[in-house]
Amino acid sequence: MWRECECESEIVGIYPCSGSANVGIISTNQLAIGLTKAGKGKMLCTAGIGAKIPGQLRSAEGCDRVVVIDGCPMNCASKIFENAGIAVDEHIFVTELGVKKTRDMDIEDSVISESLVKCVKLF
């Protein structure tokens, strides 16, 4: 079931990057989960878009707004959408929220919380 925004007028798909660095693996996924729980949209599968799975593509195309959360300026998630021919309406970079990209897989809960507060304000 889709979770609509607070105005109940649009379907918002939230797509995390899920890359191999801390800002992708942990940060984008945690932010997408947090935004979904906050009622800002629904976390959906970025990999399914890259794999061009028909149901996943239809889900994205059925969104009124597509929000992509990339971990860093490499733009992997947004490039997946570009390659699939699906427009991205909002593009969030975790590194621009103040999280430094590292190979460290341990991110403090406070960093996720602070980043989530910044993301919610973007909606």
Side-chain angles (χ1 to χ4, degrees), residues 58-69:
R58 282 192 300 276
S59 290
E61 290 164 351
C63 291
D64 295 314
R65 203 166 60 154
V66 171
V67 178
V68 169
I69 307 174

Side-chain angles (χ1 to χ4, degrees), residues 11-119:
I11 297 169
V12 180
I14 302 170
Y15 292 87
C17 135
S18 303
S20 64
N22 64 320
V23 290
I25 294 172
I26 300 170
S27 296
T28 64
N29 279 315
Q30 291 302 316
L31 292 175
I33 291 166
L35 290 168
T36 298
K37 287 181 177 180
K40 299 300 180 182
K42 181 177 181 179
M43 180 178 177
L44 296 170
C45 182
T46 307
I49 303 301
K52 297 193 177 183
I53 296 171
Q56 297 292 330
L57 293 169
R58 282 192 300 276
S59 290
E61 290 164 351
C63 291
D64 295 314
R65 203 166 60 154
V66 171
V67 178
V68 169
I69 307 174
D70 266 313
C72 68
M74 289 181 67
N75 297 317
C76 297
S78 62
K79 287 177 183 175
I80 287 171
F81 278 81
E82 182 181 319
N83 290 335
I86 299 171
V88 172
D89 300 296
E90 302 272 343
H91 192 189
I92 298 169
F93 293 100
V94 173
T95 52
E96 289 181 4
L97 299 175
V99 181
K100 184 180 178 188
K101 182 178 179 177
T102 69
R103 293 284 177 196
D104 185 5
M105 296 302 135
D106 296 319
I107 295 181
E108 305 249 346
D109 289 340
S110 62
V111 172
I112 298 295
S113 297
E114 291 169 17
S115 297
L116 183 57
V117 167
K118 292 175 186 176
C119 282

